[in-house]
Amino acid sequence: MSVQSILHAIDGISTWVGKAAAWLIIALMTVVCVEVFKRYILNAPTAWIFDLDNMLYGTLFMLAGAYTLAQNAHVRGDFLYGSMRPRMQAGLDVVLYIVFFIPGIAALIYSGYVFASESWAIGEHSTVTAEGPPVYQFKAMIPVAGVLVMLQGAAEIVRCIVCLKTGKWPSRLKDVAEIDVVEEQLAHSEHVDEETRKGAIARAHEIDETARQRGMGGDLQT
């Protein structure tokens, strides 16, 4: 198995988990809408709904971390970084991953495991409201998310090493982005002529590529 296939396999794991967790948005929206109806129309608010909202959103937020890293979508200071050559970017990334990322995520995994195991041991429930719902299953997401981010981080370090050797960034698994939605909308528009449509799509892709500031050639479709 080649290094590239291993990187894509790890990207695939992070992407699958991120997309699966994204369905929690539907559950969260449903819960909020039902609670608004109960609270303001039926005057029958649910005491533990605040805890449930926090757990749904928190789980989504944590499990999407590895997916975001796989898509190179975490916020960074790109003003200087974007003007660097790939090898310099890779060198800087390796240092930051080793000095900050690995110790930080390792601490998150360890502390999260202790935190979650103690919560499971006592069958912890929320204290925000009387007879609050159980929270130990939610706290178990902390070390799980940490392991997933660490796995993706290992893939990113390998990417940096490959870039240092070759001068080019290895490809990533490409997922649907906002630019794809814009392209699809323009393609089906009846109010834009073909020449204008092609020009707008080309310009949108150019802006998107410039914003990324990293070589991601040879992307594969998921």
Side-chain angles (χ1 to χ4, degrees):
M1 183 178 289
S2 66
V3 172
Q4 189 66 75
S5 61
I6 293 175
L7 293 177
H8 286 161
I10 296 175
D11 288 350
I13 294 172
S14 299
T15 299
W16 186 89
V17 173
K19 288 185 174 182
W23 286 97
L24 292 175
I25 284 290
I26 304 298
L28 178 59
M29 180 184 68
T30 301
V31 168
V32 170
C33 290
V34 170
E35 178 58 20
V36 168
F37 178 79
K38 289 183 61 182
R39 181 181 296 269
Y40 295 104
I41 304 300
L42 304 180
N43 195 28
T46 307
W48 45 263
I49 205 70
F50 178 77
D51 295 305
L52 181 58
D53 289 346
N54 278 344
M55 287 188 282
L56 288 172
Y57 179 74
T59 300
L60 167 64
F61 182 86
M62 289 188 287
L63 293 183
Y67 167 74
T68 307
L69 185 58
Q71 293 297 311
N72 189 36
H74 283 293
V75 176
R76 69 164 86 237
D78 275 335
F79 178 71
L80 295 176
Y81 184 89
S83 63
M84 297 177 182
R85 295 184 179 275
R87 277 197 173 96
M88 187 172 294
Q89 290 178 336
L92 178 60
D93 281 356
V94 165
V95 172
L96 294 177
Y97 273 115
I98 293 175
V99 175
F100 296 105
F101 179 88
I102 292 179
I105 300 301
L108 174 67
I109 295 171
Y110 174 77
S111 299
Y113 172 77
V114 173
F115 196 46
S117 61
E118 291 177 349
S119 182
W120 276 90
I122 63 174
E124 184 181 8
H125 283 58
S126 172
T127 57
V128 174
T129 57
E131 299 181 356
V135 296
Y136 43 82
Q137 78 287 346
F138 172 54
K139 292 185 176 181
M141 292 297 102
I142 299 174
V144 171
V147 170
L148 290 169
V149 172
M150 181 67 84
L151 177 63
Q152 186 62 47
E156 298 304 311
I157 292 173
V158 173
R159 277 194 168 89
C160 293
I161 295 173
V162 172
C163 184
L164 287 171
K165 291 182 177 180
T166 65
K168 296 181 179 179
W169 285 104
S171 65
R172 298 176 182 271
L173 285 180
K174 184 179 181 297
D175 195 14
V176 176
E178 289 184 57
I179 188 66
D180 301 310
V181 177
V182 172
E183 182 174 347
E184 183 177 355
Q185 290 175 337
L186 286 173
H188 294 87
S189 175
E190 299 178 356
H191 307 287
V192 181
D193 61 78
E194 187 65 22
E195 183 178 352
T196 303
R197 181 185 298 117
K198 289 182 178 180
I201 292 174
R203 180 56 179 162
H205 276 287
E206 181 182 346
I207 294 173
D208 183 65
E209 188 63 26
T210 301
R212 288 178 180 272
Q213 296 290 350
R214 285 185 78 164
M216 296 175 67
D219 293 342
L220 300 180
Q221 295 289 343
T222 54

